[in-house]
Amino acid sequence: MSGILEGKRILVTGVLMESSIAFHVARLAQEQGAEIILTAFPRPTLTERIAKKLPKPAKVIELDVTNEEHLARLADVVGEELGGLDGIVHSIGFAPQDALGGNFLNTPFESVATAMHVSAFSLKSLTTACLPLMQNGGSVVGLTFDAQYAWPQYDWMGPAKAALEATSRYMARDLGKQNIRCNLISAGPIGSMAAKSIPGFSDLAAVWDTRSPLEWDLKDPEPAGRGVVALLSDWFPKTTGEIIHVDGGLHAIGA
């Protein structure tokens, strides 16, 4: 039996460590029949080393999503490698240290602007840079962390994720006529490199110990990766503007 991504061409951002959700998306996508290309910043060599652990070789290209020159050449570089694209995975987020860890009221706008640019606006800029390669439609899937709530230590990444969620809805509105779906996976906390950059991350993650209906494993990114792969596939042909929770069910529990 062929995989659910057989013949698909997928661009995956954010593969930094084997523990990252993006790495498991790339692995599962290959196992399900996709050809993939990876982007990395600021250390492409690190991603190249991690990529060697994937089932098949995958090219890594440098991409700073805040750099207009990088974005302008992206379609040409990816097109030469894959010929076109059927899917994009946005697994990019960053906030300066003074925008995290309980410093919400004191964070300067410059740091907030950086968090918004890298974590939210980049969903639009990455997708529009790739549009010339998506002539037959496709699927854009991003990763969020439930922005309905104010989380311990998360600070300005919370509003940045709220902006990401709104951006995805507006992209779904505007790209539907091109048969491009835009959805998000809202994942529970994972002990990835991104998590390690959040001061007091253990306080945030501890919420899942007492409130998650399903047992949650900080060391297992695969459930979220499976959710992303499912949304990349043709099994959700009329789903767009959606946020699918892969969080053990915690989003449904009040206390």
Side-chain angles (χ1 to χ4, degrees):
M1 177 181 282
S2 61
I4 63 172
L5 295 184
E6 194 68 38
K8 302 286 188 187
R9 299 157 298 178
I10 310 293
L11 181 146
V12 182
T13 65
V15 175
L16 296 176
M17 300 173 65
E18 199 170 351
S19 60
S20 66
I21 294 172
F23 173 84
H24 289 269
V25 170
R27 175 181 63 80
L28 290 163
Q30 285 187 335
E31 290 174 356
Q32 291 299 317
E35 290 183 81
I36 68 167
I37 189 166
L38 307 177
T39 75
F41 188 80
R43 294 173 60 192
T45 53
L46 174 61
T47 299
E48 287 170 355
R49 287 201 298 271
I50 298 301
K52 291 177 181 177
K53 299 181 180 181
L54 292 171
K56 301 175 185 176
K59 183 178 178 65
V60 177
I61 58 176
E62 183 179 23
L63 175 64
D64 174 1
V65 288
T66 68
N67 185 314
E68 291 299 325
E69 291 182 3
H70 284 201
L71 291 165
R73 67 174 186 246
L74 181 62
D76 288 339
V77 175
V78 175
E80 288 177 7
E81 185 72 15
L82 298 181
L85 278 177
D86 303 290
I88 299 168
V89 178
H90 180 278
S91 181
I92 300 170
F94 173 77
Q97 285 295 296
D98 62 357
L100 299 164
N103 197 47
F104 186 84
L105 296 179
N106 301 311
T107 303
F109 177 72
E110 291 77 13
S111 296
V112 175
T114 297
M116 292 290 179
H117 193 174
V118 178
S119 307
F121 185 78
S122 63
L123 178 66
K124 191 281 301 185
S125 53
L126 172 66
T127 302
T128 54
C130 293
L131 283 182
L133 301 172
M134 303 182 77
Q135 297 300 313
N136 298 316
S139 176
V140 179
V141 185
L143 287 162
T144 188
F145 190 76
D146 202 332
Q148 298 177 88
Y149 306 107
W151 297 102
Q153 311 299 330
Y154 208 49
D155 291 357
W156 281 100
M157 275 303 293
K161 290 297 188 183
L164 175 72
E165 293 175 8
T167 299
S168 180
R169 287 189 288 269
Y170 278 91
M171 285 175 50
R173 181 196 69 180
D174 289 354
L175 294 177
K177 56 183 169 290
Q178 299 178 46
N179 198 31
I180 295 173
R181 295 169 283 124
C182 300
N183 296 289
L184 299 175
I185 290 291
S186 181
I190 297 294
S192 62
M193 183 178 288
K196 293 183 171 108
S197 69
I198 301 172
F201 173 76
S202 59
D203 294 340
L204 186 159
V207 175
W208 267 256
D209 293 337
T210 56
R211 285 180 50 203
S212 176
L214 297 174
E215 184 178 0
W216 186 255
D217 186 352
L218 286 170
K219 298 178 181 178
D220 186 10
E222 184 163 325
R226 285 176 177 249
V228 172
V229 168
L231 286 172
L232 288 169
S233 79
D234 293 332
W235 285 94
F236 284 86
K238 298 300 179 185
T239 297
T240 194
E242 185 61 271
I243 301 174
I244 304 293
H245 289 81
V246 183
D247 66 347
L250 185 137
H251 71 281
I253 305 302

